[in-house]
Structure formats: structure tokens, C-alpha cells
């Protein structure tokens, strides 16, 4: 179970999260995943985050989380396995 799944499991505060059930979209980059596939997945996650009614709460939580617990996409921001933000090129720059 990834940290985002653990966070949302059984917590009323996070009910209504747009990412519920889409955990694999929010995971960090897999070793066998191409850069293009990862970027496409991050764009999808960011789109989901953009529709989320609890985005502000998620952003606050991610900002206060320990870096090692903040991997994958949180509140529309991609983080690597060490919890550092990952720069993803915008679709317009491609």
C-alpha cells in the first residue's frame, strides 16, 4: 500500500477525494516505465487533482509530510522516491 492509499483509507476527512481508486496513477515512477509514459501518467494525475474538492487539504498535508512519505503525485505535484519534487515538462513545451 502506498502512502496516499494509507492516508485515504478509512479517513472521513478525505472522503470525496478525486483520486480514490486511482492509486496506480499517483505512484512514483516505476523502474521499467519510460519517461513519456511517466509524464502521461503525471498529466492524468494532475488532471484528476484539478477536479478534486479536497485539493487544498491534500496540498496542506503534502506540504507537512515527511519527504520519505511524500512519493508519487500529491496535490498535483510529482515527487520522486526520496520525496523531492520532479520537474515534468509542460505539454505545451513538447
Amino acid at each position: 500500500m502506498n502512502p496516499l492509499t494509507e492516508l485515504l483509507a478509512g479517513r472521513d476527512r478525505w472522503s470525496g477525494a478525486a483520486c480514490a481508486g486511482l492509486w496506480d496513477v499517483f505512484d512514483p515512477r516505476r523502474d521499467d516505465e519510460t519517461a513519456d509514459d511517466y509524464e502521461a501518467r503525471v498529466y492524468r494525475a494532475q488532471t484528476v487533482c484539478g477536479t478534486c474538492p479536497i485539493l487544498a487539504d491534500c496540498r496542506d498535508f503534502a506540504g507537512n509530510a515527511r519527504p520519505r512519505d511524500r512519493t508519487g503525485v500529491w496535490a498535483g505535484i510529482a515527487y520522486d522516491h526520496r520525496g523531492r519534487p520532479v520537474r515534468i515538462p509542460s505539454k505545451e513545451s513538447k
Side-chain angles (χ1 to χ4, degrees), residues 36-68:
D36 287 343
D37 287 345
Y38 175 65
E39 289 172 13
R41 194 163 51 81
V42 170
Y43 293 138
R44 180 173 179 217
Q46 290 171 332
T47 300
V48 171
C49 289
T51 67
C52 188
I54 63 166
L55 178 60
D57 288 337
C58 186
R59 187 175 290 129
D60 289 343
F61 187 87
N64 292 313
R66 295 177 300 193
R68 70 172 185 247

Side-chain angles (χ1 to χ4, degrees), residues 18-19 27 30 36 42 53 58-59 67 69 78 82:
C19 61
D27 284 343
R30 295 181 288 275
D36 287 343
V42 170
C58 186
R59 187 175 290 129
D69 291 337
R82 294 183 180 156

Side-chain angles (χ1 to χ4, degrees), residues 71-84:
T71 62
V73 178
W74 289 69
I77 299 171
Y79 296 93
D80 67 13
H81 291 283
R82 294 183 180 156
R84 297 177 301 201

